[in-house]
Amino acid sequence: GDKAFAQFLTDEIKEEKKIQKHKSLPKVSGGWELEVHGTEAKLVRKIAGEKITVTFNINNSIPPSDEEDTQEEQKPDEQEPELTSTPNFVVEVIKDDTKQTLVLDCHYPEDEIGHEGEEESDIFTIREVSFQPTGESDWKDTNYTLNTDSLDWALYDHLMDFLADRGVDNTFADELIELSTALEHQEYIKFLEDLKSFVKCQ
């Protein structure tokens, strides 16, 4: 059984490498520096007096396919649709002279119409906004978190503009999908390789 499993994995790895679009991770334009720690990626950009970081994790970032809820990467013989990874991402804006960080929790809506139907142009939405003390990794649940569901749309638009001014706009969101998808695929291949060595290990 293990031999057949290892053989299957070998073939699968070959197939996946064949369809791998990026041998190295695609760059995000606009001077973002990329740091990757396993499945978590962080993009950092500094502009006058501010540091902007965007963090996302590729785990569970591929929406389930509609046909049947098979686990991702089921491979029938016919060409299957390309999987894209659309992770939630968190934008943190840190101003040099304050002790607070503005944190915006963003996600890619699943085919829903734009915010209240008036602009269908944004490919991502802001879900929550809060302030966190700068430099603390632990989220404080005691800090007020603004949920955008019931937000005045003018305020919401200003928040979107605020992000766009800092380089987090549709172009960025598109490139993030590209990067995340490449990263997810790379990690998937690595996982198959690890699984193969694990299965073969006597």
Side-chain angles (χ1 to χ4, degrees), residues 26-134:
K27 291 258 186 290
V28 176
S29 59
W32 293 90
E33 308 265 308
L34 173 66
E35 299 166 27
V36 179
H37 306 285
T39 58
E40 188 172 87
K42 186 189 234 175
L43 290 157
V44 183
R45 178 173 190 233
K46 292 190 171 75
I47 51 175
E50 293 183 358
K51 177 176 162 194
I52 296 105
T53 65
V54 177
T55 318
F56 64 93
N57 194 315
I58 56 165
N59 279 336
N60 305 319
S61 64
I62 293 188
S65 58
D66 300 337
E67 294 81 74
E68 63 271 79
D69 292 327
T70 50
Q71 282 301 289
E72 60 182 78
E73 300 293 340
Q74 285 284 309
K75 277 265 180 297
D77 294 335
E78 75 269 13
Q79 191 53 45
E80 70 164 38
E82 263 185 55
L83 296 172
T84 31
S85 158
T86 49
N88 296 344
F89 59 96
V90 175
V91 183
E92 296 176 52
V93 180
I94 302 159
K95 287 192 187 269
D96 290 348
D97 48 3
T98 67
K99 298 278 179 285
Q100 286 185 315
T101 301
L102 183 65
V103 180
L104 302 102
D105 192 346
C106 304
H107 75 141
Y108 294 95
E110 278 154 38
D111 300 333
E112 69 185 37
I113 301 151
H115 192 70
E116 294 303 307
E118 69 254 345
E119 66 257 49
E120 276 102 43
S121 56
D122 293 317
I123 59 174
F124 70 96
T125 59
I126 302 171
R127 227 181 353 199
E128 290 181 344
V129 188
S130 67
F131 279 111
Q132 297 294 338
T134 299

